[in-house]
Amino acid sequence: MPALQAVADAFCARWPHIAPYGGRFGERPEPHVTLATGATDEEAELVRDRVRPLLPLRVVAWRVDLVVRTDRDWRLRLTAPFAASP
């Protein structure tokens, strides 16, 4: 998702004191879509097998959501529409 790297970079520049994923994946992690957090190995393999034929995704993004991981779940912190949003 190279086109999304500029968006991720802009977020990191806006909040330089917040390391994405606590820095676990380096200073500039690649933008991605998470499909199966917490899946077992078997579940993850099933998801991979079902999704692989659909790749690469060709979609239009209207907004970006910033979420943070709490000790219990993920929480929405910010929703930012892109300039060309409907």
Side-chain angles (χ1 to χ4, degrees):
M1 295 185 193
L4 290 180
Q5 189 64 56
V7 175
D9 291 345
F11 266 77
C12 290
R14 171 63 179 85
W15 292 283
H17 59 286
I18 301 173
Y21 306 101
R24 286 193 317 258
F25 303 107
E27 291 183 19
R28 198 171 178 232
E30 184 176 346
H32 66 282
V33 175
T34 300
L35 298 175
T37 299
T40 65
D41 288 345
E42 289 178 356
E43 292 166 336
E45 185 175 348
L46 180 63
V47 169
R48 275 191 301 272
D49 291 345
R50 288 187 179 177
V51 171
R52 188 172 285 122
L54 305 173
L55 299 176
L57 295 177
R58 304 256 188 250
V59 298
V60 174
W62 298 109
R63 72 177 197 222
V64 63
D65 293 334
L66 176 64
V67 295
V68 295
R69 178 87 175 160
T70 70
D71 49 341
R72 294 189 318 204
D73 57 11
W74 290 93
R75 297 289 169 121
L76 180 64
R77 290 290 300 270
L78 172 75
T79 295
F82 293 129
S85 296

